[in-house]
Amino acid sequence: MPVNPATPGVAAAPSAGSSPVAHHTITLTVNGTQRRMEVAPWTTLLDLLREQMELTGTKKGCDHGQCGACTVLVNGQRINSCLALAVSKDGAEVVTVEGLAMDGTLHPVQAAFIEQDAFQCGYCTPGQICSAVGLLKEGHARNADEIRELMSGNICRCGAYPNIVAAIEQAMQQAGGSAR
Amino acid sequence: MIRFSYSRPGAVGEAVQAVQADAGAKFIAGGTNLVDLMKYDVERPRRLVDVGALPGLDRIEEADGGLRIGALVTNSALAYDARIEQRYPLLARAILSGASPQLRNAATTGGNLLQRTRCYYFYDTGTPCNKREPGTGCPAINGVNRIHAILGTSEHCIATHPSDMCVALAALEATVEVTGPQGERSIAFADFHRLPGEHPEIDTTLAPDEIITAVRLPPQGFATHHTYLKLRDRQSYAFALVSVAAVLEMEGDTIREARLALGGVAHKPWRDPAAEALLRGGPATRERFAEAAALILQAARGYGDNSFKIELARRAIVRALSQAAAGTPQPVADKRIA
């Protein structure tokens, strides 16, 4: 797997022979705080969050949109931040795992993950939790089968799937069932 | 990732001009396939022209009894649109059988049509590939080819088109609306993707400086007799080994109209007019379905690892036609084959 060095914030030297590439100024609201930042065109949202904003809760797993460890909510929707160019998200509202708790109270999904023991090593957990928050908001899952199907974009190498599904079921029940 | 410059034009015309002016430029929208390919060095654009925020292309509108789907409508928005669910359930189910929710939230309608093959050799820049570097050869033909094509292949390429959505759009006979330097034109879905032939590096009949603006669905949605049956190595979040979109119009036990499109077996969603003609006007029996399957697979060729696909496709066609005729489409979340 090719390594994708984190280069955000550094005006990387353009490859030999090509003209210098301009950086772009973007505005993002991250976990409720608006920030203006300089980004290189090739900086992914994931690298921006981790390297430039020090929000390392969001994890880099495969870096190819296959594992879901990098899942964040952009304008309320869960996406793979590793496949999103930060520059293309100018003006967006981003919520990461660091932004889910309110005034020291865990988000119901976070609390349910603890109560149901829904993780082992924890590496996939921020992505699992952000993905589950997105799933609840979407309101398309009505039972365990549908939770499993709609969480299929988040891989857990430890195999904590049964407890992850239980945690999401618990959070769903607390939220009053699915939206439809 | 390679270094590139980036611009975000405000209108379709500007976007077309920007790509026309620079042979190293590419459009980007959802980016779920292109950014991945750039990380693997398979795609090396000098400039990205971001069309993801172009105004007016993210709507689904009524059009001549059918629907006009803007090119920037995300896969999620399309699959869960009430009009699609009710009038074109085949399309909704095909979309939901592909990728993951995160990817479907980012991926667009236009981008889905333009995604590249997942052939291992195409992705591996350490190996030759006629699709990536024309003239270097195709290691898949005598190599590892479990996921590869059995129909419409050439001596230069046996890659498959990976989309589920496109298989449904082929069966529904959608139309692709595009805009280029010469203006607008429409492309019938069957003519949009091409077979590899002598030029596997070219996936579609879209010119590099043309942009997809919409996909149009004709009025007939086959909401009663349809199924999307997808068979794969893993039950979720995997590409099809074989998939079948089947839609029928029934009159009692007689088939009035039949359309079949196969995914995972060719360089494009595969349709066979002769097999559809055989089904039309005939009884909805397993014997007739098996005849149609045999006709479709008459010219199929296995390359070793993928030879099992011929029998798998034959059975999938019969099963899918049975599901469609009975009005019992394959559910998305329930993995048991109905």
Side-chain angles (χ1 to χ4, degrees), chain A residues 63-65 78 82 149 154, chain B residues 36 39 102 105 236-237 335:
Chain A
D63 208 24
H64 287 280
R78 49 178 166 157
C82 74
E149 173 64 30
N154 293 82
Chain B
D36 187 34
K39 289 183 179 187
Q102 291 97 314
N105 281 343
S236 290
Y237 196 17
K335 303 303 174 181

Side-chain angles (χ1 to χ4, degrees), chain A residues 4 21 24 41-42 63-66 71 78 80 82 87-88 90 131 138 140 149-150 152-154 180, chain B residues 1 3-4 6 8 32 35-36 39-40 48 50 80 85 96 100-105 236-237 333 335:
Chain A
N4 188 37
V21 169
H24 297 256
W42 49 85
D63 208 24
H64 287 280
Q66 298 182 3
T71 302
R78 49 178 166 157
N80 302 106
C82 74
V87 65
S88 73
D90 188 15
S131 192
E138 290 156 12
H140 299 303
E149 173 64 30
L150 294 173
S152 64
N154 293 82
R180 45 176 247 164
Chain B
M1 217 185 316
R3 303 317 185 215
F4 56 88
Y6 172 92
R8 183 159 47 184
T32 53
V35 172
D36 187 34
K39 289 183 179 187
Y40 281 119
L48 286 185
D50 189 350
Y80 292 117
E85 284 178 333
L96 294 178
S100 69
Q102 291 97 314
L103 290 167
R104 294 193 294 262
N105 281 343
S236 290
Y237 196 17
K335 303 303 174 181

Side-chain angles (χ1 to χ4, degrees), chain B residues 59-134:
Chain B
R59 293 194 290 261
I60 303 173
E61 298 164 320
E62 295 289 337
D64 305 325
L67 291 175
R68 184 176 186 275
I69 305 159
L72 294 176
V73 173
T74 65
N75 291 179
S76 295
L78 183 56
Y80 292 117
D81 183 272
R83 293 162 293 183
I84 299 293
E85 284 178 333
Q86 283 157 27
R87 289 154 59 184
Y88 305 92
L90 172 77
L91 179 58
R93 284 157 182 262
I95 293 168
L96 294 178
S97 76
S100 69
Q102 291 97 314
L103 290 167
R104 294 193 294 262
N105 281 343
T108 63
T109 301
N112 188 298
L113 271 60
L114 297 175
Q115 64 179 307
R116 312 296 310 273
T117 185
R118 265 47 173 209
C119 171
Y120 330 113
Y121 301 99
F122 175 70
Y123 262 80
D124 183 353
T125 55
T127 64
C129 169
N130 286 327
K131 186 179 281 298
R132 183 166 26 79
E133 285 176 71

Side-chain angles (χ1 to χ4, degrees), chain A residues 102-116:
Chain A
M102 286 287 196
D103 305 322
T105 306
L106 291 180
H107 186 282
V109 173
Q110 290 174 307
F113 265 64
I114 293 172
E115 278 173 48
Q116 298 292 335

Side-chain angles (χ1 to χ4, degrees), chain A residues 15-168:
Chain A
S15 52
S18 64
S19 53
V21 169
H23 282 43
H24 297 256
T25 304
I26 63 165
T27 306
L28 284 182
T29 303
V30 180
N31 298 332
T33 306
Q34 201 180 71
R35 293 269 302 265
R36 262 170 77 85
M37 282 160 298
E38 284 271 300
V39 296
W42 49 85
T43 302
T44 61
L45 179 58
L46 173 61
D47 285 341
L48 178 73
L49 291 169
R50 288 183 56 84
E51 308 295 335
Q52 222 164 316
M53 304 188 73
E54 296 183 358
L55 291 168
T56 52
T58 307
K59 298 293 185 262
K60 183 184 278 200
C62 69
D63 208 24
H64 287 280
Q66 298 182 3
C67 77
C70 69
T71 302
V72 299
L73 300 158
V74 173
N75 297 328
Q77 294 201 306
R78 49 178 166 157
I79 65 162
N80 302 106
S81 62
C82 74
L83 293 181
L85 297 177
V87 65
S88 73
K89 298 300 171 196
D90 188 15
E93 206 163 296
V94 180
V95 175
T96 68
V97 71
E98 291 94 338
L100 291 176
M102 286 287 196
D103 305 322
T105 306
L106 291 180
H107 186 282
V109 173
Q110 290 174 307
F113 265 64
I114 293 172
E115 278 173 48
Q116 298 292 335
D117 193 19
F119 48 90
Q120 188 174 318
C121 84
Y123 196 82
C124 72
T125 310
Q128 298 276 3
I129 288 175
C130 284
S131 192
V133 170
L135 174 146
L136 293 181
K137 198 170 170 175
E138 290 156 12
H140 299 303
R142 292 159 297 192
N143 52 47
D145 270 352
E146 290 177 348
I147 290 172
R148 275 188 282 271
E149 173 64 30
L150 294 173
M151 287 296 290
S152 64
N154 293 82
I155 309 297
C156 172
R157 184 63 184 82
C158 301
Y161 297 112
N163 293 4
I164 292 170
V165 173
I168 297 171

